[in-house]
Amino acid sequence: MLMRTDPFREFDRLAQQLFGPTRPAAMPMDAYRAGDDFLVHFDLPGIDPETIELDVERNVLNVRAERRSPAPEGAEMIVAERPTGSFTRQLFLGDTLDTERIDASYEAGVLTLRIPVAEQAKPRRIQITGGDSRKQISS
């Protein structure tokens, strides 16, 4: 059997049972640009990929996931430190990202989104044209 010696944990557990979660469930993330892609990694360990929902409305990306308790119904929990329930996170995407071509994958507890930079936002070279210097002005 697992033994605990921290008396405050028991108080936290009792408060959580009475009042619900005392802190919002976290969905930590990293985000960076690599070349022509913007990448976002969400830590979602223990999440069934079937419970992950992604949707984009205008330039707002919504991520929802659910972690269920691994204990069967009616089991007596001895220690319950891993958060369960629904997790949500919103990202506000700039106009420079192509929200029509978002790619999502889930591996080893990490949800990875690859969002391409929109074509109109990529740097491009502008050709300079000028008048024909061989033309002569006649009067």
Side-chain angles (χ1 to χ4, degrees), residues 52-64 89-91 93 99 102 113:
I52 299 172
E53 296 178 18
L54 297 171
D55 62 69
V56 177
E57 185 174 337
R58 295 191 181 150
N59 284 359
V60 179
L61 172 72
N62 293 297
V63 181
R64 287 182 209 83
R89 186 100 189 229
Q90 279 189 332
L91 293 180
L93 306 176
T99 59
I102 296 175
L113 304 180

Side-chain angles (χ1 to χ4, degrees), residues 2-53:
L2 187 62
M3 301 294 290
R4 297 196 305 169
T5 58
D6 185 354
F8 295 107
R9 285 188 189 228
E10 189 62 28
F11 178 74
D12 287 342
R13 184 183 67 79
L14 180 61
Q16 185 172 2
Q17 286 177 342
L18 294 174
F19 306 113
T22 56
R23 63 182 185 269
M27 188 186 295
M29 71 172 201
D30 291 333
Y32 56 92
R33 182 172 175 172
D36 288 339
D37 290 324
F38 185 75
L39 287 103
V40 184
H41 302 283
F42 293 97
D43 281 349
L44 295 171
I47 300 286
D48 179 358
E50 296 294 317
T51 70
I52 299 172
E53 296 178 18

Side-chain angles (χ1 to χ4, degrees), residues 48-134:
D48 179 358
E50 296 294 317
T51 70
I52 299 172
E53 296 178 18
L54 297 171
D55 62 69
V56 177
E57 185 174 337
R58 295 191 181 150
N59 284 359
V60 179
L61 172 72
N62 293 297
V63 181
R64 287 182 209 83
E66 184 178 342
R67 181 183 297 123
R68 297 180 184 106
S69 173
E73 185 73 28
E76 179 186 355
M77 290 297 290
I78 306 301
V79 177
E81 295 179 348
R82 297 172 57 211
T84 58
S86 294
F87 304 86
T88 60
R89 186 100 189 229
Q90 279 189 332
L91 293 180
F92 294 92
L93 306 176
D95 292 332
T96 59
L97 299 176
D98 187 350
T99 59
E100 297 294 321
R101 296 182 22 224
I102 296 175
D103 179 53
S105 62
Y106 181 77
E107 185 176 336
V110 178
L111 173 65
T112 299
L113 304 180
R114 182 177 298 273
I115 309 168
V117 174
E119 287 298 321
Q120 67 268 19
K122 291 180 183 175
R124 63 186 189 283
R125 187 173 194 97
I126 299 172
Q127 183 68 32
I128 299 173
T129 59
D132 188 359
S133 61
R134 291 177 285 184

